[in-house]
């Protein structure tokens, strides 16, 4: 049976998170966009307290042992609400984030316990994931950072750029950074492994925090690793180099979990813009007429309906990708479809919203211009628009990454 209704449990969480977004995020959204690099500590502490160890930004668990769950779907629904409140603030919430998703996707059961337990109490903590390097982003198999075994340690050397929450994870909390590095360049993709580097580990330095176009409440850092030593047990999964690139696929599986999350965040920003336009039109006595023949609609009504349709299509793709994870199904194709669609439509919707409201849309008096700036990142990180389209094409046509690049 196909059912597009959210369960009562998920709806309850949705309402609760919406209240947080409306009352705690919207009122400070502009302030922390203007005050880039300053942290909204009252909000962050409150989120850490209320999440009570339930990491709103953490994900990656496939179907739990006891059967299908709604964990990933609930996460997507919650993140849409939080990003409706403010995408930059959502990204800055202390939790296991992308680093936790990598541990969940590639770590052993012992590693999950060891690295993720800290997110259920004590002081706020962050985890980050560092893949991108000055030489390469989309082609993550070309990374130059190395991890060399030396006795009981791995020694990491290299530079990672544009790491979300990198500063908070590496220096300002008892969190960690998951770093992708090659243990054997001659092995190509198969030699790439993920390593957990605990906050404050000697040899890991934050050398820069970016000034950005959007999501300015979220820190984005450059991390340098200079003879940074981590215990042997900090390599996620098996240290063996497989004969094929299966190991790399394991690390890449992180994205199957995180792409629906990015898509959900994009949808939240798009919905914020759409809701605002609808409310503004209403205030001016303009009601969008549904069920009217297309040739009788105004241009504005057509634009508005198209925005709604695109947003709904992106949401359905996103929920499907999350539902598949909750049911233990491989969702690599669906996660990329959702991310590609949502990343594109949020940029289109927010631009159109600015356009429809004229000069007011462009003014800093409203949040519309901010949403337009916040939107674009969803088309860049966790695989750009082009890369996700490439993955979709490969999966549908049955080509390998060598055959279609
Ligand atoms: C705010 C922000 C936060 C980020 N957070 C993180 C993070 O937490 N961790 C992390 O590791 N990285 C992070 N990134 C980096 C992000 O994932 C990369 O920017 C992204 O993967 C693209 O890589 P690149 O910038 O090197 O661009 P490139 O790979 O150089 O791509 C440049 C352009 O070429 C296109 N392109 C590349 N290859 C192809 C191809 N084969 N076919 C068609 N088009 C192609 C791309 O789509 C893009 O438009 C973040 C980036 C930003 C801006």
């Amino acid at each position: 049976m196909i059912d597009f209704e959210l369960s009562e449990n998920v709806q309850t969480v949705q309402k609760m998170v919406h209240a947080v977004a409306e009352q705690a995020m919207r009122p400070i959204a502009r302030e922390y966009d203007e005050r880039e690099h300053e942290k909204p500590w009252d909000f962050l502490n409150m989120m850490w307290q209320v999440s009570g160890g339930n990491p709103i930004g953490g994900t990656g668990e496939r179907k739990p042992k006891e059967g299908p769950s709604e964990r990933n779907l609930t996460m997507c629904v919650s993140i849409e609400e939080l990003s409706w409140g403010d995408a930059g603030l959502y990204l800055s919430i202390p939790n296991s984030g992308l680093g936790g998703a990598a541990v969940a996707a590639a770590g052993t059961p012992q590693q999950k316990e060891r690295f993720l337990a800290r997110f259920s109490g004590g002081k706020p903590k962050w985890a980050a994931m560092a893949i991108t390097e000055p030489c390469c982003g989309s082609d993550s198999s070309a990374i130059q950072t190395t991890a060399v075994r030396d006795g009981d340690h791995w020694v990491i050397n290299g530079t990672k750029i544009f790491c979300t929450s990198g500063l908070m994870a590496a220096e300002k909390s008892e969190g960690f950074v998951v770093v992708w590095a090659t243990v054997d360049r001659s092995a190509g993709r198969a030699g790439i492994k993920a390593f957990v580097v605990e906050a404050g580990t000697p040899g890991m330095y934050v050398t820069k925090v970016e000034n950005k176009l959007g999501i300015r409440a979220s820190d984005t850092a450059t991390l340098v690793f200079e003879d940074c030593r981590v215990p042997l047990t900090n390599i996620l999964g098996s240290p063996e180099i497989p004969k094929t690139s299966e190991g790399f696929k394991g690390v890449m599986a992180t994205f199957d979990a995180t792409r629906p999350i990015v898509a959900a965040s994009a949808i939240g920003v798009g919905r914020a813009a759409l809701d605002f336009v609808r409310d503004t039109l209403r205030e001016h006595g303009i009601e969008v007429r549904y069920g009217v023949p297309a040739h009788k609609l105004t241009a504005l009504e057509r634009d508005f309906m198209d925005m709604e349709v695109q947003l709904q299509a992106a949401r359905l793709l996103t929920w499907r990708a999350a539902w598949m994870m909750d049911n233990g199904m491989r969702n690599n194709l669906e996660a990329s479809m959702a991310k590609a669609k949502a990343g594109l439509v949020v940029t289109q919707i927010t631009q159109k919203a600015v356009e429809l409201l004229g000069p007011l849309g462009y003014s800093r008096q409203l949040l519309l211009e901010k949403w337009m700036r916040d939107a674009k990142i969803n088309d860049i990180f966790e695989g750009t628009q082009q890369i996700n389209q490439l993955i979709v094409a490969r999966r549908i046509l049955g080509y390998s990454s060598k055959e279609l690049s």
Side-chain angles (χ1 to χ4, degrees), residues 98 128-139 161-165 212 214-215 220 377 380-387 390 394 405:
L98 282 184
M129 182 161 73
I131 305 167
T132 307
E133 299 184 359
C135 71
C136 49
S138 297
D139 184 6
I161 58 172
F162 283 92
C163 180
T164 299
S165 295
K212 303 196 299 292
I215 53 161
T220 310
I377 190 57
I380 299 175
F381 60 11
E382 301 290 300
T384 62
Q385 175 64 222
Q386 293 77 9
I387 293 302
L390 203 54
R394 277 183 203 141
S405 60

Side-chain angles (χ1 to χ4, degrees), residues 238-250:
S238 163
E240 300 302 320
I241 299 177
K243 296 222 164 29
T244 64
S245 57
E246 280 307 310
F248 185 64
K249 278 189 190 154

